[in-house]
Amino acid sequence: MSGNGHGSVRGTVLGIETSCDETAVAVVGGGTDIRSSVLSSQVDLHATYGGVVPELAGRAHLELLTPLLAEAMAKAGLDERRPDIAAVAATVGPGLMGSLLVGASEAKALSLAWDVPFVGVNHLEGHLFAALLEHRHIRWPLVVLLVSGGHTLLLSMEGPGRYRRLGATLDDAAGEAFDKVARFIGLGYPGGPAIERAAESGDPVAFSFPRPLLDDGLDLSFSGLKTAVVRAVRARPEASDEDVAASFQAAVVEVLVEKTRRGAGAVSAGGVCLAGGVAANGPLRNAITRAAGELGLPVYLPSRAMCTDNAAMIAAAGWWQLEHVGPSPLDLACDPALALPLVS
Ligand code: KG4
Ligand code: ZN
């Protein structure tokens, strides 16, 4: 590590996130002190197409990253020519290859220019650090429900870097189910927030959608639920979008909470944690908080902004990795299918 002084400066990491459709840069001290966190969502760009268009995403990252870097550094009071930081961290996977390459290549170039280490971060591990950014005294192990657009994992987290898989979706990710149902009923992209909004004025028992695998182990499944929604809407075309959204959301939330409750019991968890974009969902946050209360367990929820993709979580994970694993080689490749490293 290059000579960077002491205290929070020594642990200050510049994080870059470009794995999907958010371009984000953050400066975080010691894994918890968010000195700046800025992002530019490409939602409007992709909304016309009903989902993320990889080629457009990559080009937008290229355009957006440089001004966001300048903004994040200015907000954190860093000198752009020779910032007092310990490392530059960037997401190296999973995600869209053309998008990952933009952030990771920039981070490697900055690491060379500033003579500080580069740290390649797993995006999923980044999500797991979101709660740690905002909660200090954690009772391990945590049962963590990681629910994003591409992944749905139930984990036992024994501490940073120590993850055991308890269950996972057998088909669609939870966020993907939100996005597909929203698109089907014409609520647009991204589907999660649109479903949550519509559901506020809908009746959650208007439809009794299936709760897949509710009483069966720790794995999850959402493709059958999505098909059930399509069938039900075709059978009752007069039904309101709000009722469909509320009934669908109730089914997803019930399954997610039940699986988390079972996972907590299976590993004698010390606490319950949510991560990933779907963790921004209000009814899920309320239901998981209630369930944890019934189990007598503390619940660690990242703030909504830290649930969806951001660079503060990447900087936090990068800081921990730098301290406990070490820097990454500059020839580290991006991997669109990078898996979360699990302990056996
Ligand atoms: O973690 P994330 O920002 O990106 C990925 O790593 O995939 O997650 C995005 C996913 C999308 O599927 C989006 O629809 C969903 O999270 N999402 C939500 C909400 N906000 C975002 N799902 C339900 N309710 C929300 N409020
Ligand atoms: Zn994500």
Side-chain angles (χ1 to χ4, degrees):
M1 194 182 300
S2 60
N4 269 321
H6 297 286
S8 75
V9 167
R10 184 172 169 272
T12 295
V13 172
L14 177 89
I16 298 177
E17 158 61 39
T18 63
S19 67
C20 189
D21 60 346
E22 316 279 356
T23 318
V25 185
V27 177
V28 176
T32 54
D33 175 22
I34 303 177
R35 294 174 55 187
S36 66
S37 178
V38 297
L39 66 82
S40 177
S41 170
Q42 304 174 10
V43 163
D44 296 342
L45 175 67
H46 301 290
T48 337
Y49 304 94
V52 180
V53 183
E55 175 66 17
L56 293 183
R59 291 187 202 189
H61 287 307
L62 269 177
E63 274 173 31
L64 295 165
L65 187 52
T66 303
L68 282 172
L69 255 172
E71 188 186 344
M73 294 184 71
K75 281 193 171 152
L78 292 180
D79 173 359
E80 264 201 70
R81 289 179 170 206
R82 189 141 193 97
D84 243 345
I85 56 170
V88 183
T91 304
V92 291
L96 303 169
M97 190 49 142
S99 293
L100 291 166
L101 281 171
V102 176
S105 306
E106 179 80 25
K108 290 175 182 178
L110 292 174
S111 141
L112 280 173
W114 293 334
D115 189 25
V116 295
F118 162 71
V119 186
V121 174
N122 182 308
H123 181 80
L124 299 173
E125 191 161 22
H127 275 302
L128 297 178
F129 272 79
L132 308 188
L133 263 169
E134 299 171 296
H135 298 277
R136 301 295 141 84
H137 305 291
I138 306 263
R139 276 171 41 193
W140 308 102
L142 294 181
V143 62
V144 188
L145 177 67
L146 170 51
V147 270
S148 69
H151 296 83
T152 295
L153 282 168
L154 187 65
L155 299 165
S156 167
M157 182 172 179
E158 296 166 358
R162 294 190 61 80
Y163 320 111
R164 282 178 205 280
R165 180 184 181 283
L166 301 176
T169 183
L170 302 175
D171 39 59
D172 292 351
E176 191 180 352
F178 270 96
D179 294 337
K180 286 179 175 170
V181 166
R183 189 180 331 175
F184 176 68
I185 58 178
L187 292 179
Y189 160 88
I195 296 258
E196 181 176 356
R197 225 172 303 120
E200 278 167 21
S201 49
D203 177 3
V205 295
F207 293 87
S208 55
F209 290 133
R211 272 63 173 158
L213 304 181
L214 188 65
D215 299 314
D216 186 3
L218 295 174
D219 284 332
L220 303 102
S221 164
F222 295 104
S223 75
L225 171 59
K226 178 194 64 195
T227 310
V229 172
V230 171
R231 280 214 195 98
V233 171
R234 289 200 174 128
R236 277 169 59 186
E238 77 289 352
S240 79
D241 292 348
E242 288 76 10
D243 285 353
V244 176
S247 302
F248 163 76
Q249 181 176 257
V252 174
V253 168
E254 187 178 335
V255 172
L256 291 178
V257 171
E258 179 54 25
K259 296 290 173 175
T260 309
R261 188 198 291 272
R262 283 167 166 249
V267 298
S268 301
V272 176
C273 179
L274 288 184
V278 181
N281 184 269
L284 174 62
R285 297 167 76 86
N286 293 339
I288 212 90
T289 303
R290 248 189 334 268
E294 284 161 18
L295 295 170
L297 296 176
V299 63
Y300 306 102
L301 299 182
S303 60
R304 281 169 182 251
M306 288 295 139
C307 290
T308 45
D309 289 349
N310 66 85
M313 69 186 197
I314 301 302
W319 171 78
W320 184 85
Q321 205 171 307
L322 181 71
E323 297 278 307
H324 295 91
V325 182
S328 308
L330 281 177
D331 62 358
L332 179 69
C334 290
D335 180 355
L338 191 64
L340 183 71
L342 300 171
V343 290
S344 49

